[in-house]
């Protein structure tokens, strides 16, 4: 089986489009569809067969060349003729592309089930078709270990147990709209204690989104769900306001005044936002505007991650990097390649 994944802000609450094909290899998929795609408007063919206008993919079918016969031919043809704004990577089992449409970055992947089976901690979230992750967290035999570095936000409180992770899939500019959402960690805190931990956190250590979330936690909130609901009515989520980096009581009062006086910004529709919370996982697909759709926020602790280690690891990789197969070390916010 071959999987196709389109990572795109245009693809609804999940930000992803996933398709399955019966071909044995990626080469087999290209060989099977080549003549059909080349015999008509390739742009319309891609949109019809894959379910989206996959940016630039149609160009490989407009070369007038015969279908590739080998993996090496496919690699050469893609490198010479596929329109890609950023990075193209091809191996015997996958094609991985990072590009952009001059407004946001986009990524797409063809990968066979050999890779998916051997690298589930890299592909499980990409191939999860729904926006919502499973809430259940049955006891696990092994503790969860993050697949890479995380930003540690606070020191562990005395006697605290576990760790809570935040993966907020968001962006602030075209050049950093895919794979630049570095995972955050709150050691010594599990999700039921995150509201209290954020109230006590130093706002100078928080991203703009987490700083806004902190300000929207009420003094009496025992869990994070009510603050996520308030976040859904917040105006410019990424805007840094000095008042919300104040001590919590003052920040919360200012945030409530903004909620009372403000209106959803730039086409946001709070009624389209999706929020699900449980003891060990809180998740939100927050509607931002008509054109650029949703952002995905995930807050989960080590109990949930240990119960779903492949999903948790691949989600953290998804936040930090555009290419699930990358094993290179490179600077944060700098795409390898």
């Amino acid at each position: 089986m071959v999987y196709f994944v389109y990572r795109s802000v245009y693809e609804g609450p999940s930000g992803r489009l996933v398709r399955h094909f019966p071909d044995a290899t990626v080469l087999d998929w290209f060989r099977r569809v080549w003549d059909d795609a080349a015999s008509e408007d390739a742009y319309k063919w891609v949109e019809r067969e894959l379910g989206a206008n996959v940016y630039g993919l149609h160009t490989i079918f407009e070369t007038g060349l015969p279908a590739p016969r080998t993996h090496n031919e496919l690699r050469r043809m893609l490198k010479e003729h596929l329109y890609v704004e950023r990075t193209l990577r091809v191996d015997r089992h996958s094609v991985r592309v990072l590009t952009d449409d001059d407004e946001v970055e986009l990524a797409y992947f063809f990968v066979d089930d050999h890779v998916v089976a051997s690298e589930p901690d890299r592909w499980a979230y990409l191939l999860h078709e729904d926006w919502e992750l499973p809430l259940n967290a049955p006891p696990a035999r092994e503790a969860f270990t993050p697949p890479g570095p995380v930003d540690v936000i606070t020191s562990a409180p005395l006697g605290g147990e576990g760790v809570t992770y935040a993966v907020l899939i968001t962006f602030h500019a075209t050049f950093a709209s895919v794979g630049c959402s570095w995972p955050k960690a709150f050691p010594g805190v599990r999700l039921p204690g995150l509201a209290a931990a954020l109230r006590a956190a130093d706002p100078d250590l928080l991203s703009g989104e987490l700083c806004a979330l902190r300000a929207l936690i009420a003094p009496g909130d025992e869990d994070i769900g009510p603050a996520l609901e308030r976040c859904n009515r917040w105006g410019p989520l990424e805007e840094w306001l000095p008042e919300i980096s104040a001590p919590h009581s003052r920040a919360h009062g200012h945030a409530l005044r903004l909620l009372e006086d403000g209106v959803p910004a730039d086409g946001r529709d709070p009624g389209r936002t999706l929020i699900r919370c449980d003891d060990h996982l809180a998740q939100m697909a927050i509607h931002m505007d008509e054109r650029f759709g949703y952002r995905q926020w995930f807050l989960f602790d080590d109990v949930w991650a240990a119960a779903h280690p492949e999903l948790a690891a691949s989600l953290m990789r998804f936040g930090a990097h555009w290419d699930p197969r990358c094993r290179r070390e490179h600077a944060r916010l700098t795409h390898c390649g």
Side-chain angles (χ1 to χ4, degrees), residues 78-334:
L78 288 170
K79 288 184 177 294
E80 291 180 2
H81 300 290
L82 181 66
Y83 181 76
V84 174
E85 288 277 0
R86 300 294 179 92
T87 303
L88 167 68
R89 291 179 177 163
V90 186
D91 57 42
R92 289 185 65 85
H93 299 285
S94 67
V95 173
R96 291 111 63 204
V97 175
L98 175 68
T99 189
D100 71 64
D101 64 356
D102 297 329
E103 293 193 88
V104 292
E105 289 177 329
L106 307 159
Y108 61 89
F109 312 93
F110 291 91
V111 59
D112 66 32
D113 51 9
H114 170 83
V115 166
V116 171
S118 62
E119 300 173 351
D121 61 329
R122 294 174 178 269
W123 294 95
Y125 177 72
L126 269 166
L127 296 175
H128 185 79
E129 298 187 37
D130 194 5
W131 78 273
E132 184 178 2
L133 301 181
L135 289 169
N136 64 306
R141 294 182 179 180
E142 298 183 6
F144 176 72
T145 301
V150 298
D151 284 340
V152 177
I153 301 300
T154 60
S155 57
L158 186 65
E161 294 183 343
V163 57
T164 292
Y165 302 100
V167 180
L168 310 182
I169 310 298
T170 187
F171 65 89
H172 307 279
T174 299
F175 73 91
S177 52
V178 167
C180 293
S181 301
W182 207 262
K184 317 294 183 185
F186 296 82
V189 175
R190 291 201 168 108
L191 190 63
L194 182 60
L198 277 171
R199 278 193 295 262
D202 181 351
D204 291 338
L205 301 178
L206 303 178
S207 66
E209 294 84 3
L210 285 175
C211 202
L213 181 61
R214 168 186 175 269
L216 292 165
I217 298 171
D221 284 349
E222 296 184 357
D223 59 70
I224 206 69
L228 290 177
E229 297 284 355
R230 296 182 194 110
C231 252
N232 184 35
R233 296 184 286 116
W234 185 259
L237 271 170
E238 289 101 1
E239 185 173 327
W240 182 275
L241 298 173
E243 291 85 351
I244 64 172
S245 61
H248 179 262
S249 60
R250 197 167 82 212
H252 181 62
H254 178 72
L256 290 183
R257 288 191 294 274
L258 287 175
L259 284 184
E260 291 173 1
D261 299 336
V263 295
D266 298 329
R268 286 183 60 198
D269 182 355
R272 294 170 65 178
T273 291
L274 303 163
I275 300 174
R276 304 285 188 274
C277 295
D278 203 0
D279 289 343
H280 300 288
L281 169 66
Q283 50 194 324
M284 174 168 67
I286 184 168
H287 184 263
M288 299 303 292
D289 57 49
E290 284 297 326
R291 179 159 178 74
F292 298 117
Y294 295 78
R295 307 291 178 270
Q296 297 78 33
W297 289 22
F298 298 95
L299 303 161
F300 58 92
D301 61 28
D302 59 317
V303 173
W304 184 87
H308 305 277
E310 294 164 356
L311 264 178
S314 59
L315 170 59
M316 295 173 87
R317 294 184 194 277
F318 182 92
H321 203 306
W322 76 269
D323 181 2
R325 301 208 77 189
C326 178
R327 289 175 169 81
R328 306 177 185 179
E329 293 186 6
H330 49 84
R332 188 181 311 189
L333 301 183
T334 302

